[in-house]
Amino acid sequence: MSETTLKEQLRADLNQARRDRDKLRTTVLTGFLADVRNKEIELGREASDDDVTGLVTTAIKRRRDSADQFRAAGRTELSDKEEQEAAQLQGYLPPALGEAEVLAMIRAAIDGGAKDIGGVMKAVSPQVKGRFEGRELNRLAREALA
């Protein structure tokens, strides 16, 4: 039996959301699948699970940034909507890594010869992509190098 791709899972969830008449989920998934299609056109090939995961990460980050801006402007209803959309997409990311796991990866990179922040980030970033916040990774790496 073949394993379904992330894109196939998104399409199946969109169809289910339509059957359930879940307006928020339908809107989020429709827009996101359009982003996936645009990425495929840009790449000139079918999007891999890694490509889709990267798009999910970017979409969540974009929505959280928008939510922060709306909140700062006093538009809590729009801020709440963006947060809900980010939460809908969060379920498509692989399980998040804990700080201890990431710290172990950072130490392994340092033991492997990474002497500066650039070397550590280059070694660890691909391993944690979509599973740990880049800003936090940078902070942990700087602390470990200090």
Side-chain angles (χ1 to χ4, degrees):
M1 181 157 166
S2 66
E3 196 170 311
T4 61
T5 65
L6 186 53
K7 190 171 97 172
E8 290 167 348
Q9 182 64 50
L10 285 159
R11 282 199 181 117
D13 290 352
L14 172 60
N15 289 334
Q16 186 60 48
R18 286 179 173 153
R19 281 191 292 273
D20 295 344
R21 300 191 189 288
D22 184 341
K23 188 175 179 184
L24 173 69
R25 193 161 180 80
T26 301
T27 303
V28 170
L29 293 176
T30 301
F32 183 72
L33 282 166
D35 291 345
V36 172
R37 183 68 190 126
N38 289 337
K39 183 70 170 180
E40 288 177 337
I41 291 168
E42 178 187 318
L43 295 170
R45 62 173 170 77
E46 191 84 11
S48 68
D49 278 356
D50 287 342
D51 296 329
V52 177
T53 300
L55 286 172
V56 171
T57 304
T58 303
I60 290 171
K61 185 176 185 342
R62 194 176 329 123
R63 282 173 174 83
R64 288 194 175 138
D65 290 346
S66 294
D68 290 343
Q69 290 174 0
F70 284 134
R71 201 171 295 111
R75 301 291 308 269
T76 55
E77 71 285 351
L78 292 173
S79 170
D80 291 344
K81 178 181 174 283
E82 293 291 327
E83 288 288 349
Q84 289 171 348
E85 289 182 9
Q88 291 287 323
L89 291 171
Q90 188 73 41
Y92 295 101
L93 289 179
L97 292 169
E99 202 169 291
E101 294 171 285
V102 175
L103 213 43
M105 290 180 199
I106 291 169
R107 287 205 175 86
I110 293 170
D111 293 343
K115 294 179 181 13
D116 61 1
I117 191 72
V120 172
M121 294 298 283
K122 185 177 179 184
V124 179
S125 290
Q127 298 173 44
V128 302
K129 185 178 180 187
R131 298 173 64 195
F132 196 77
E133 187 73 36
R135 209 173 316 148
E136 283 298 301
L137 172 62
N138 191 302
R139 180 187 63 81
L140 290 174
R142 288 184 189 283
E143 288 173 5
L145 286 166

